[in-house]
Amino acid sequence: PAPLQAVDELNIVISEFRTRGPSGIDDEFIEIVNTSGNIITIGGWVIKKSSSCGSTLTTLVSIPAGTKLWPGQRYLVGNSDGYSGTVPLDQSYYTSAKTIADDSGIALLDASGNIIDQVGMCDQTTYVEGTPLKPLTAKVDQSYERKTDAASPFNCNDTDNNKRDFIKNPSSSNPQNYLSDPIPCLVVSNVTSSTDDTDVITSGTISIQVTFIQDVVVSGSPTLQLETGTTDGLATFVDLSDGRTLNFTYTVKSGDITSVLDYVSTKALSLNGGSITVGGENAILLLPKPGETGSLSKNKNIRIDATTDDPTVQAIDYRDPPKSPTNADTLKFRVTFSKAVINVDASDFSVTGVTGATLSVEKITSSIYDITVSGGNLPSLNGTVTLSLNPSNSLNPITDVGGKQLVVSDPPLTKSYVVDNQFQSITIVQASDQIEPAITAPIKFIVTFAEKINRPTFTSDDVIQGATGAGVPYVSWRIDPSTQSGDEDKVFILSGYPNGNGDVAPSIPKNRVEDLAGNLNADPYVPTYSACGDPNNDCVVMKDTERPTVTIVQAPGQADPSTTLPIKFNVQFSEPINIYSFTASDITQEAEGASGVTWSITNPTGDKKNFSISAITSDYGILKPIIEENRVLDSVGNGNKASASNTDNEVDYQKPLSVTVDQASKQQDPTID
């Protein structure tokens, strides 16, 4: 399957393409463009195609290492065997397998395999966004191009819907390459601050500048949402300088704290009822991603602390994997502090239960950090790994932005993963009430796992007949949980229904059952019996020579006599039967009763012993079902005895009474009082 779509940011998009041109099906090209206000390295990125309304993926080109695109700059690739454009290709591809079908898809992926942009001509092809475009079919100069607007010769917005983003040029194309003049989008190129960042700010105002790549016109009061701790702050618009820089100011409020000031996201700039335009067209308000080139935190190190409380650790939680136990080779804990803190590194934590592992720290926000434990003996460990704060570290202690040192609880907070890299043993024995030899099914065993298992992974399909020699050819199995308290997901009652007499010994093949950590049983369970018939082992001899008896009675609630259909009876066998041997043809009507009777059978409880039968008939009279001997087989092949007869196994089906009302002989008509 294709990789997941990358987080949608103003970045590189497919700006123009075609799958065929005046030279035919190989006359194809793909143009990409940098729509951001920053230089982006695209070396190692790839352009791929997905097959005609399908999922087969093929790499067309891998962009050379070190390749960069400036704002508004393009990169052009095409089929070297058929491309007819006059603008030279920056990179070419060719083999018959790399020709792009008219109803396929095209995608640009970054060096990590994330889809940056994609377009498709069929809703079934892998690479497509929203509504697909119609396939190109004519042998003419043509292309699909991003829709234009007044601000630039292409639309910088990407709605993630191919039909809304592209327009067909039915008789022209306009491919441009790396050397063509860049035409930048109207975007933000930089966010910075004129406020001094040498000291921690505890009060006062902060000045912030948002610069567009071109001159803009501003009306109203745009806002910029800042990450300032528990409650985000709004910087307000002051004025416009040098034609393209919006000046904002933020007043620090009580409780604000951050180790490095930035806006909350790429969408933090809001018009707030105003407008930012050029030539009457709206500017694109996406900001450089926080922490990356052009962002406020990349340009400045502004620290705020308008708090009075000491920092503490609020929680240590599972992060990846999100549960325990686990067989993961890398464990990630999430540590949440009560406020923004600094100086958090690996030396602030200790880990126990694992040998030779390393710790690494990743800052998520100013108050949230992920601690990763990896390496050492984790891949083979069976034990508990515990992360705790290391209060003995005093060389560079954790503090809040204002210098107040972290207060550590006593004892410090900890979190533990149970690491399990091995599926534990399986034991199978006869049930304590199992008769040996067995004279009737089911034959019951107790399956015990040494640890709790992932219950849905253990089904009757995972149990097979493991007896050899005199073993029964086939056994069907049923699994029920133990009724013993505390044995949930560890101990199970296994019921076997053999299709003949002989040895019955359950076996579980390898890689069928999974424990809670995700380990499969690497070894099969193979019966260990030496001679079937010994007590308390995992094999039972089936010696069933008893023929099952059958009792037929009226179903509860069945009226007798009855004037309505169907007529219902219950059939009970003395032991579970082979349900495939019991059909409606095995039920016959006693000779002196009603004729033309049709029977149907259900097994409502699934126990293979108790059945409901229903009769419909075109005749009236006594309905008395019987089952002659040797019509139905038990699980090992013994035929039934003839069904028992008693006063409850018949129903009188009668014609409904009809009433005729006639006029009295002396009644005058009409009646005269």
Side-chain angles (χ1 to χ4, degrees), residues 95-142:
T95 66
S96 58
K98 291 185 178 180
T99 298
I100 305 171
D102 295 330
D103 55 356
S104 63
I106 304 168
L108 172 68
L109 294 83
D110 67 15
S112 299
N114 299 307
I115 298 175
I116 302 302
D117 194 29
Q118 56 187 327
V119 61
M121 284 66 70
C122 174
D123 57 6
Q124 299 300 313
T125 194
T126 296
Y127 295 138
V128 66
E129 287 182 352
T131 304
L133 304 172
K134 291 182 178 180
L136 299 174
T137 56
K139 189 178 178 181
V140 297
D141 188 16
Q142 60 187 340

Side-chain angles (χ1 to χ4, degrees), residues 231-387:
T231 303
D232 295 332
L234 280 181
T236 56
F237 175 69
V238 177
D239 57 24
L240 180 69
S241 59
D242 68 24
R244 62 184 63 181
T245 298
L246 282 69
N247 296 301
F248 292 83
T249 187
Y250 175 69
T251 301
V252 175
K253 62 183 183 298
S254 176
D256 283 353
I257 185 168
T258 178
S259 59
V260 56
L261 181 64
D262 212 334
Y263 36 83
V264 295
S265 72
T266 58
K267 299 179 181 180
L269 179 58
S270 173
L271 294 176
N272 190 32
S275 66
I276 303 174
T277 62
V278 62
E281 297 296 326
N282 291 329
I284 297 172
L285 302 183
L286 287 178
L287 304 169
K289 185 180 292 186
E292 296 190 356
T293 301
S295 67
L296 177 58
S297 63
K298 190 70 172 180
N299 290 322
K300 300 288 288 189
N301 185 33
I302 297 175
R303 295 161 294 162
I304 302 174
D305 187 0
T307 64
T308 58
D309 55 315
D310 294 325
T312 60
V313 177
Q314 289 186 325
I316 303 178
D317 298 305
Y318 301 132
R319 179 58 181 170
D320 186 20
K323 64 181 182 66
S324 175
T326 178
N327 61 359
D329 294 343
T330 299
L331 308 176
K332 182 178 289 186
F333 299 82
R334 172 152 290 186
V335 180
T336 303
F337 295 91
S338 62
K339 60 194 301 190
V341 292
I342 57 176
N343 304 329
V344 181
D345 57 41
S347 66
D348 295 309
F349 301 90
S350 61
V351 61
T352 58
V354 60
T355 303
T358 59
L359 296 180
S360 61
V361 176
E362 178 186 5
K363 178 181 176 181
I364 306 303
T365 69
S366 297
S367 60
I368 298 176
Y369 292 79
D370 283 348
I371 317 301
T372 299
V373 182
S374 60
N377 66 337
L378 265 180
S380 60
L381 180 66
N382 290 290
T384 300
V385 176
T386 301
L387 180 78

Side-chain angles (χ1 to χ4, degrees), residues 644-660:
S645 175
N646 55 49
T647 56
D648 292 330
N649 71 332
E650 62 181 50
V651 173
D652 185 5
Y653 177 49
Q654 299 180 351
K655 184 177 181 179
L657 294 175
S658 60
V659 178
T660 303

Side-chain angles (χ1 to χ4, degrees), residues 465-472 503 505 527 529:
Q465 163 70 315
T468 58
V472 178
D503 294 348
Y529 66 92

Side-chain angles (χ1 to χ4, degrees), residues 26 38 217 286 363 389 430 473 490 572 586 610 641 649:
D26 292 333
N38 300 310
V217 176
L286 287 178
K363 178 181 176 181
L389 202 64
Q430 295 176 13
K490 287 183 62 177
Q572 183 180 49
D586 298 319
N610 295 283
K641 296 179 181 180
N649 71 332

